[in-house]
């Protein structure tokens, strides 16, 4: 920091890269340092995880751990932004292709690819040393697992899902907001359907809601919980409708997870 308080190149490695972002007052040089020290787990690098990982890597978030046991397929390419035709042709593991692309985008980002599906056995090892968990999955079994872990360990997580031209997003902050299981009835039935993938999805709602997820992640990494969205946000990009549901008002004292602290998804 210079005498006049302006950030200098010493504050952040390769400071110039983030100049436009640091001009935004809530980031600044101090915030950029926090982002450089930020540690995030992204569960699933499909459509949502791809976009979120790219945005966070470009923003200068220092450490991104990616978990996914899938390989790139041609049918992924319309919405999974980190992958190219060659990745699909070679059927590369998604975390491997994603890590290579993210390192191209920002060599300062430490990316740790883990070619595993998140489950009750590995979640502690993969999530204990991060500040928040980002949902890039397509299934509720994994989301309930993340939700249980989040409530038990008081770790914020960001939920998102997309189907058709619709998308939803919510930040769950243990002790402040409802948890996923408190608001499950508010989610579209098709989104909760285990066969969600058969309903189809466009890339636009995925990209849109991933941007909201990444923005909320940045707020958390900056320590700005006061600015975090208190809503379950629902977007319909086809009809241009936006709905918001206040999460604080939907806390359920009877909730088995955040009310009674029973963490069945963390059990074998
Ligand atoms: Zn709950």
């Amino acid at each position: 920091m210079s005498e006049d308080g302006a950030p200098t190149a010493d504050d952040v490695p390769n400071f110039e890269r983030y100049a436009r972002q640091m001009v935004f007052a809530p980031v600044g040089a101090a915030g950029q340092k926090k982002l450089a020290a930020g540690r995030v787990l992204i569960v699933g690098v499909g459509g949502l995880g791809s976009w979120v990982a790219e945005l966070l890597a470009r923003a200068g978030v220092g450490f991104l751990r990616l978990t996914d046991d899938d390989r790139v397929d041609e049918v992924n390419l319309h919405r999974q932004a980190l992958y190219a035709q060659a990745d699909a042709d070679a059927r590369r593991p998604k975390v491997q292709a994603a890590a290579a692309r993210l390192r191209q985008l920002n060599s300062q980002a430490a990316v740790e690819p883990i070619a595993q599906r998140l489950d009750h056995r590995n979640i502690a090892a993969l999530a204990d040393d991060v500040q928040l968990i980002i949902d890039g999955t397509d299934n509720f079994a994994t989301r309930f697992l993340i939700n249980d872990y989040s409530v038990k360990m008081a770790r914020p997580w960001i939920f998102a899902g997309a189907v058709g031209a619709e998308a939803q997003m919510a930040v769950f902050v243990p002790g402040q907001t409802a948890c996923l299981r408190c608001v499950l009835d508010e989610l579209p039935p098709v989104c909760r359907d285990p066969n969600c993938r058969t309903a189809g999805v466009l890339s636009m709602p995925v990209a849109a809601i991933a941007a909201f997820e990444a923005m909320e992640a940045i707020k958390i990494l900056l320590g700005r919980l006061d600015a975090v969205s208190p809503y379950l946000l629902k977007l319909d990009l086809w009809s241009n409708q936006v709905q918001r549901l206040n999460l604080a008002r939907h806390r359920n004292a009877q909730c088995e997870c955040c009310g009674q602290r029973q963490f069945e998804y963390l059990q074998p």
Side-chain angles (χ1 to χ4, degrees):
M1 197 76 72
S2 63
E3 283 182 18
D4 62 3
T8 73
D10 294 333
D11 292 326
V12 178
N14 194 5
F15 148 93
E16 291 80 5
R17 178 183 185 113
Y18 307 109
R20 299 290 186 279
Q21 171 171 295
M22 289 165 63
V23 170
F24 181 64
V27 178
Q32 195 63 51
K33 279 184 177 176
K34 288 181 184 171
L35 296 182
R39 300 179 63 84
V40 175
L41 169 63
I42 299 177
V43 182
V45 277
L48 290 164
S50 267
W51 288 105
V52 174
E54 174 164 344
L55 289 167
L56 295 186
R58 287 186 186 276
V61 173
F63 177 81
L64 301 173
R65 180 176 290 137
L66 316 175
T67 68
D68 202 311
D69 66 350
D70 205 1
R71 290 175 180 267
V72 183
D73 187 281
E74 191 159 34
V75 301
N76 302 146
L77 298 179
H78 83 286
R79 70 188 186 286
Q80 303 191 10
L82 289 175
Y83 310 124
Q85 184 71 52
D87 298 317
D89 291 345
R91 298 281 288 148
R92 292 181 77 190
K94 284 187 179 175
V95 289
Q96 197 184 90
R101 176 65 178 152
L102 292 168
R103 289 173 187 137
Q104 282 179 345
L105 296 175
N106 189 348
S107 59
Q108 294 171 12
V111 183
E112 186 180 50
I114 305 284
Q116 294 174 16
R117 176 175 276 263
L118 192 77
D119 61 26
H120 68 273
R121 288 163 301 200
N122 62 17
I123 190 168
L126 296 175
D128 270 2
D129 61 349
V130 299
Q131 290 155 280
L132 78 150
I133 304 169
I134 294 180
D135 171 25
T137 70
D138 60 359
N139 70 88
F140 270 81
T142 307
R143 288 172 180 140
F144 289 145
L145 173 74
I146 297 170
N147 192 62
D148 271 10
Y149 182 86
S150 156
V151 171
K152 184 178 181 189
M153 304 303 290
R155 189 82 34 92
W157 76 284
I158 305 175
F159 154 79
V163 63
E166 299 177 26
Q168 305 84 34
M169 189 236 32
V171 186
F172 295 111
V173 182
Q176 289 189 33
T177 66
C179 82
L180 176 66
R181 282 164 66 181
C182 295
V183 297
L184 203 56
D185 290 344
E186 303 295 336
L187 296 169
V190 67
C191 181
R192 285 178 276 138
D193 185 335
N195 297 317
C196 174
R197 65 185 67 189
T198 61
V201 64
L202 300 180
S203 60
M204 300 80 187
V206 174
I209 212 71
F212 279 89
E213 272 193 294
M215 185 76 259
E216 298 305 317
I218 293 293
K219 294 176 190 173
I220 292 170
L221 296 175
L222 290 174
R224 290 295 306 274
L225 283 179
D226 60 303
V228 164
S229 164
Y231 303 107
L232 170 64
L233 178 70
K234 303 187 206 180
L235 306 178
D236 184 334
L237 273 69
W238 190 260
S239 63
N240 273 295
Q241 289 185 343
V242 178
Q243 284 179 274
R244 300 194 309 179
L245 183 89
N246 192 311
L247 285 174
R249 288 196 210 122
H250 281 73
R251 278 182 86 169
N252 173 11
Q254 306 307 315
C255 173
E256 288 184 3
C257 180
C258 70
Q260 299 173 27
R261 298 187 65 80
Q262 294 172 13
F263 305 119
E264 60 181 294
Y265 290 91
L266 294 176
Q267 307 301 322

